[in-house]
Amino acid sequence: MFDPLKYADELIDSKQENELLKWLRQLNDEEKFTFVWRVLNVNPWQGCKLVKRSQLKPIFLEVILANGLVYGDASTVSWYMKAVLPGLGYKRVLEMIKAHIDIAPLCVYKTLYWLPWLYRNQSKKLKNEIRILIEEFNQKYPNYQPRRSTGTHA
């Protein structure tokens, strides 16, 4: 059995990581999520790497992204987006970000820098949706200057 706190704090080699992933994939969905969640709370970088490879169900990936949008800062929010993109897809991630525009503008603001870069190889339709989101944000929040880097509101 692996300890999520030990995993979060130690560097492990690829052999150890493969053993961890093999063990993790044998767990039921809730146990797998609990392990990954504990790693995320101690070490977001390690946790996000684990999210990508642990085969979590979409509902858990949505929880992880929602958490990352609130508690990630302008740099680390990209880790969360990259971690869940393979499992949720580009469209769902964008929908979740857009859903925050009226209730949690800081969550959206932190993603605006990363969205064009993360979606650079996607369809024109998705790229256009990003452009529209950026324009809508700028119209709703002209000269937006948050005083905090995490949370939901400036």
Side-chain angles (χ1 to χ4, degrees), residues 4-17:
L5 302 178
K6 187 176 178 185
Y7 173 76
D9 286 337
E10 291 183 8
L11 292 174
I12 63 172
D13 62 31
S14 59
K15 182 181 177 196
Q16 292 169 314
E17 187 167 8

Side-chain angles (χ1 to χ4, degrees), residues 44-62:
W45 172 249
Q46 282 288 89
C48 285
K49 289 191 323 186
L50 190 56
V51 167
K52 280 190 213 178
R53 299 186 65 199
S54 60
Q55 300 175 345
L56 292 170
K57 289 192 173 193
I59 188 69
F60 297 120
L61 296 174
E62 289 179 4

Side-chain angles (χ1 to χ4, degrees), residues 31-85:
E31 292 170 326
K32 189 185 313 183
F33 172 74
T34 300
F35 184 93
V36 172
W37 187 257
R38 290 184 68 198
V39 174
L40 273 169
N41 285 321
V42 174
N43 185 333
W45 172 249
Q46 282 288 89
C48 285
K49 289 191 323 186
L50 190 56
V51 167
K52 280 190 213 178
R53 299 186 65 199
S54 60
Q55 300 175 345
L56 292 170
K57 289 192 173 193
I59 188 69
F60 297 120
L61 296 174
E62 289 179 4
V63 170
I64 290 167
L65 178 59
N67 183 69
L69 290 175
V70 174
Y71 295 107
D73 61 29
S75 296
T76 61
V77 74
S78 70
W79 301 348
Y80 290 89
M81 291 189 303
K82 289 178 195 172
V84 301
L85 273 170

Side-chain angles (χ1 to χ4, degrees), residues 109 137-147 154:
Y109 177 79
F137 185 89
N138 289 333
Q139 287 174 356
K140 288 184 177 196
Y141 307 100
N143 304 314
Y144 187 79
Q145 294 294 318
R147 295 187 188 105

Side-chain angles (χ1 to χ4, degrees), residues 130-143:
I130 292 169
R131 186 185 54 74
I132 291 168
L133 174 63
I134 293 169
E135 289 173 4
E136 181 182 352
F137 185 89
N138 289 333
Q139 287 174 356
K140 288 184 177 196
Y141 307 100
N143 304 314

Side-chain angles (χ1 to χ4, degrees), residues 93-153:
V93 169
L94 191 55
E95 288 170 356
M96 288 183 65
I97 293 167
K98 287 165 62 172
H100 287 82
I101 197 161
D102 291 323
I103 58 170
L106 181 56
C107 292
V108 177
Y109 177 79
K110 293 183 288 188
T111 69
L112 295 181
Y113 173 81
W114 299 106
L115 285 173
W117 180 76
L118 289 172
Y119 285 69
R120 70 188 178 282
N121 295 324
Q122 296 306 304
S123 69
K124 286 184 180 182
K125 181 181 179 196
L126 278 174
K127 288 180 186 177
N128 193 45
E129 287 183 41
I130 292 169
R131 186 185 54 74
I132 291 168
L133 174 63
I134 293 169
E135 289 173 4
E136 181 182 352
F137 185 89
N138 289 333
Q139 287 174 356
K140 288 184 177 196
Y141 307 100
N143 304 314
Y144 187 79
Q145 294 294 318
R147 295 187 188 105
R148 301 178 347 190
S149 63
T150 62
T152 56
H153 298 283

Side-chain angles (χ1 to χ4, degrees), residues 22-33:
K22 184 178 178 182
W23 171 80
L24 193 61
R25 290 176 182 152
Q26 294 175 4
L27 299 178
N28 70 41
D29 293 328
E30 291 80 17
E31 292 170 326
K32 189 185 313 183
F33 172 74

